Amino acid sequence: MYVIVGMLLGFIAFRNDVPMTMRSCLYPLIGNKIYGTLGDIIDTLSIVCTMFGVCTSLGLGVVQINAGIRRVNPNVEVSVSNQIIIIWSITAIATVSVISGIKVGIRRLSEICFAFGMFIMLYVFFYDDTWFLLNLYVQSIGYYFQWFVQLGFHTDAFAQLGNAPDGKQATNWMDDWTIFYWGWWIAWSPFVGMFIARISRGRTIKEFINYTMTLPVLYSFMWFCIFGGAGIKMERDAAIANITCSSPLGGANSTASFNGLYRLSCRAKSDMWFDVIQQYGLSPHVGTFMSVVSLVSLVLYFVTSSDSGSLIIDTLGSNGDPEPPVIQRIFWALTEGAAATALLSAGGVHALKALQAVSVSSGLIYTVILNFMCIALWRSLKIESGDLDPNGPKFSSDLLSALYKPSCKKISKVLVAIVAPWWSISIAGSKLYNCKRWPFMVAVAVPFYTCVICQILQVIEPGLAYIGWAISFGFFAYCTGIRANMRAKFGINGNMVEDFFAVLLLYPLAAVQMADHMKITDLIEKDSNMEAGSTSGSGESLGLKHLVEEKPSGDSCSCEDIVKV
């Protein structure tokens, strides 16, 4: 998902000379209208998602940092107060870094973080059973490709029912793990995608994919195999050593290990990393040293996340300015710290749940935008390869014209279409097929009002609402068919899938757009007939065809333009 956002944004921004903001990702779909209200909404959502994504990381990170500090110094308590202090310490360092800019503070801190991470990984790799870790790396890659498709479509459908005969189903697994991480990653997509797009100027698409997906994935495989393998190995050795959750050494609440072993399945999540890393040392001093190195790495990683996120939010808030004002950088860096503090304080003992909820909520909103970004990437590459003409035939009025340039007439049409879509659809259908309107009125009105009536009667007879929803798809399918035939007749760019979702999600706007297009087309045809029948130079033609053809690129001729002429 980061590759999709980064590739699309970099491709569009550098090739079309548009601002480096998230609104530019929809440039292949809506053109210059990204500079309007819709573009502002997209950038605002991107700021909110980035803010909550970084706050989730800060909130979860300080819990682990607090546990690590207590491991080094038992006098330090694990408490919300100490975690808030850690948040503001990280925020202070991140503020200084973001003020210094991307080429100084952010870049150098990122390089230091990577060096610390490599040191820890290589230390464990050589200290542990290296041959075992190499075997695990090869084996895990094979398992990954073997299970990639199945896990990609796995939804734990039966487990979520909660009716397993043995009662061992994990009903909340998808919500607490998969959905949470999906939401968290999606919330990070504007931040990470925009950041890698900004530093990728001059790269080919092949190079971009290799440097942002292929190589990082291989590196991530190695990281998870080394530390995941070390953790599983410790858990198995602890089981053989008869360490249980209640054991005084290596148990759930133990402060010391049993011969370097902990029963990780019993331990708190914030302790597991330090349990694993402290086993690598010939003496307790080496284990403590590695815990300190881990703490420094954790702090710096969250600092780089905070300062990079603040810079991206600054850029979005400055309409793509690569060097936003310093005072604005300070404001957003402090706002991130304040938001993370508020979530931890308000959540209390349920702070982790609060952080997870805000991450999933912000990611859910952005999922819809990501779907449109996939279409925009496909369309932009088709245009670049010459397979799609961006100035080719299109609907005479925009789908969202009532939102871009609202007027009393446009708004009244949409309001009528909300409660009576058959009116606009029948206009479009009758002019498209050159027949009477009433069959289209009936075909659209019957399923539409049947659905509405079933929703109302649901309070009397439970189950009718679902019958109504099933019937409503007849309405959507019928309108999609008319719209698809309009595309085919006039050679309009697009496909039936786009038509279906336009009707499904925005049926009033789609109905008005279809009616307007057929009205304009009908007037143009009449004008052409008048031109053919008029004498040369008589000047009696309305010239509607020329009006539409000479309309500037990116604008659409509406029925109101025709009326004015």
Side-chain angles (χ1 to χ4, degrees):
M1 118 192 24
Y2 303 146
V3 175
I4 290 174
V5 177
M7 184 191 304
L8 174 60
L9 183 57
F11 188 83
I12 296 300
F14 297 138
R15 301 283 289 187
N16 295 276
D17 194 26
V18 295
M20 181 68 75
T21 62
M22 296 309 297
R23 69 174 69 199
S24 299
C25 289
L26 297 188
Y27 182 80
L29 300 181
I30 61 176
N32 290 329
K33 292 182 178 61
I34 60 172
Y35 302 112
T37 304
L38 184 59
D40 295 336
I41 294 174
I42 293 171
D43 278 351
T44 302
L45 287 175
S46 300
I47 290 174
V48 172
C49 281
T50 301
M51 174 67 69
F52 286 136
V54 174
C55 287
T56 301
S57 300
L58 282 175
L60 295 177
V62 296
V63 174
Q64 187 172 26
I65 292 173
N66 193 178
I69 294 175
R70 179 177 175 80
R71 183 66 66 93
V72 176
N73 183 0
N75 295 323
V76 177
E77 295 182 356
V78 176
S79 65
V80 174
S81 299
N82 287 334
Q83 291 163 10
I84 291 175
I85 293 174
I86 296 170
I87 285 178
W88 284 105
S89 300
I90 292 175
T91 301
I93 302 173
T95 303
V96 174
S97 176
V98 76
I99 291 174
S100 63
I102 191 172
K103 294 183 179 180
V104 183
I106 295 177
R107 176 184 175 183
R108 299 308 177 193
L109 280 178
S110 299
E111 291 172 348
I112 293 172
C113 281
F114 183 76
F116 269 98
M118 286 296 298
F119 170 76
I120 296 173
M121 186 178 72
L122 292 176
Y123 173 80
V124 174
F125 176 73
F126 290 119
Y127 193 106
D128 207 318
D129 188 343
T130 304
W131 188 248
F132 156 72
L133 294 175
L134 288 174
N135 282 334
L136 181 62
Y137 182 68
V138 175
Q139 176 177 294
S140 298
I141 292 177
Y143 283 164
Y144 178 82
F145 286 113
Q146 178 184 352
W147 293 91
F148 178 80
V149 175
Q150 180 174 337
L151 289 178
F153 289 87
H154 184 71
T155 59
D156 246 5
F158 289 104
Q160 293 187 63
L161 289 176
N163 61 353
D166 58 3
K168 295 182 179 180
Q169 69 279 350
T171 56
N172 296 324
W173 169 257
M174 289 293 293
D175 292 339
D176 294 342
W177 186 263
T178 307
I179 302 300
F180 162 60
Y181 277 101
W182 280 352
W184 192 3
W185 295 332
I186 291 173
W188 271 60
S189 61
F191 156 40
V192 179
M194 188 171 172
F195 191 83
I196 60 179
R198 183 174 175 178
I199 62 176
S200 299
R201 189 184 186 101
R203 304 290 185 186
T204 64
I205 292 179
K206 178 181 178 180
E207 291 173 337
F208 183 89
I209 293 175
N210 283 334
Y211 295 145
T212 59
M213 186 168 69
T214 307
L215 294 178
V217 164
L218 294 176
Y219 178 83
S220 299
F221 280 171
M222 179 60 76
W223 179 276
F224 286 116
C225 283
I226 289 175
F227 293 104
I232 295 174
K233 181 169 172 285
M234 173 180 280
E235 174 72 9
R236 292 162 66 95
D237 290 341
I240 294 174
N242 293 323
I243 300 175
T244 64
C245 295
S246 57
S247 297
L249 296 178
N253 300 314
S254 302
T255 57
S257 64
F258 179 80
N259 295 330
L261 300 176
Y262 287 94
R263 193 65 183 263
L264 293 180
S265 57
C266 303
R267 303 283 288 175
K269 295 178 182 177
S270 56
D271 288 324
M272 289 182 182
W273 169 267
F274 299 100
D275 292 340
V276 171
I277 206 68
Q278 276 195 331
Q279 69 176 315
Y280 299 106
L282 297 176
S283 67
H285 301 292
V286 177
T288 302
F289 170 75
M290 291 305 299
S291 295
V292 172
V293 172
S294 297
L295 275 173
V296 174
S297 299
L298 282 170
V299 170
L300 290 181
Y301 270 112
F302 289 116
V303 167
T304 55
S305 298
S306 180
D307 61 14
S308 301
S310 299
L311 182 62
I312 294 304
I313 293 176
D314 297 339
T315 304
L316 288 170
S318 303
N319 197 30
D321 184 359
E323 295 296 335
V326 173
I327 188 66
Q328 186 171 305
R329 302 185 191 188
I330 296 174
F331 169 78
W332 284 114
L334 297 180
T335 301
E336 287 179 2
T341 300
L343 287 171
L344 274 178
S345 300
V349 295
H350 303 292
L352 291 180
K353 290 292 184 181
L355 291 168
Q356 289 179 340
V358 74
S359 179
V360 172
S361 299
S362 59
L364 176 63
I365 299 173
Y366 216 78
T367 302
V368 178
I369 299 177
L370 280 176
N371 290 328
F372 284 103
M373 287 183 183
C374 293
I375 299 174
L377 178 60
W378 170 81
R379 181 164 292 184
S380 61
L381 294 177
K382 293 281 283 186
I383 293 172
E384 186 70 19
S385 63
D387 294 336
L388 183 64
D389 182 8
N391 299 317
K394 59 185 67 176
F395 284 102
S396 301
S397 61
D398 293 319
L399 181 64
L400 303 177
S401 61
L403 303 179
Y404 296 137
K405 298 178 180 179
S407 65
C408 292
K409 189 171 184 178
K410 289 180 180 179
I411 293 175
S412 64
K413 287 181 179 180
V414 174
L415 292 177
V416 170
I418 291 175
V419 297
W422 49 267
W423 180 262
S424 297
I425 296 296
S426 64
I427 293 174
S430 62
K431 292 184 179 296
L432 177 65
Y433 299 108
N434 194 25
C435 58
K436 295 181 179 181
R437 289 180 59 184
W438 70 264
F440 298 97
M441 290 182 177
V442 174
V444 173
V446 169
F448 180 79
Y449 290 123
T450 301
C451 175
V452 174
I453 292 171
C454 286
Q455 305 303 316
I456 297 173
L457 295 179
Q458 170 72 12
V459 297
I460 301 175
E461 185 63 37
L464 284 179
Y466 306 111
I467 295 176
W469 285 121
I471 294 174
S472 70
F473 273 80
F475 161 74
F476 295 134
Y478 188 78
C479 296
T480 300
I482 296 176
R483 188 179 175 88
N485 286 331
M486 289 176 63
R487 284 191 187 273
K489 181 176 181 178
F490 299 106
I492 299 173
N493 291 330
N495 54 65
M496 186 175 288
V497 176
E498 295 179 15
D499 293 330
F500 175 75
F501 281 104
V503 173
L504 178 66
L505 302 175
L506 302 169
Y507 78 86
L509 299 177
V512 172
Q513 182 194 41
M514 293 159 63
D516 286 351
H517 180 79
M518 292 311 303
K519 287 178 181 179
I520 294 174
T521 303
D522 187 51
L523 289 172
I524 292 174
E525 290 179 354
K526 291 179 180 179
D527 179 62
S528 299
N529 294 333
M530 291 178 63
E531 285 182 341
S534 64
T535 58
S536 176
S538 64
E540 295 178 359
S541 170
L542 293 175
L544 296 175
K545 182 177 181 181
H546 300 293
L547 172 67
V548 177
E549 290 177 348
E550 294 173 4
K551 193 77 173 176
S553 176
D555 294 334
S556 297
C557 185
S558 66
C559 289
E560 295 178 5
D561 296 325
I562 298 298
V563 173
K564 291 176 183 177
V565 174

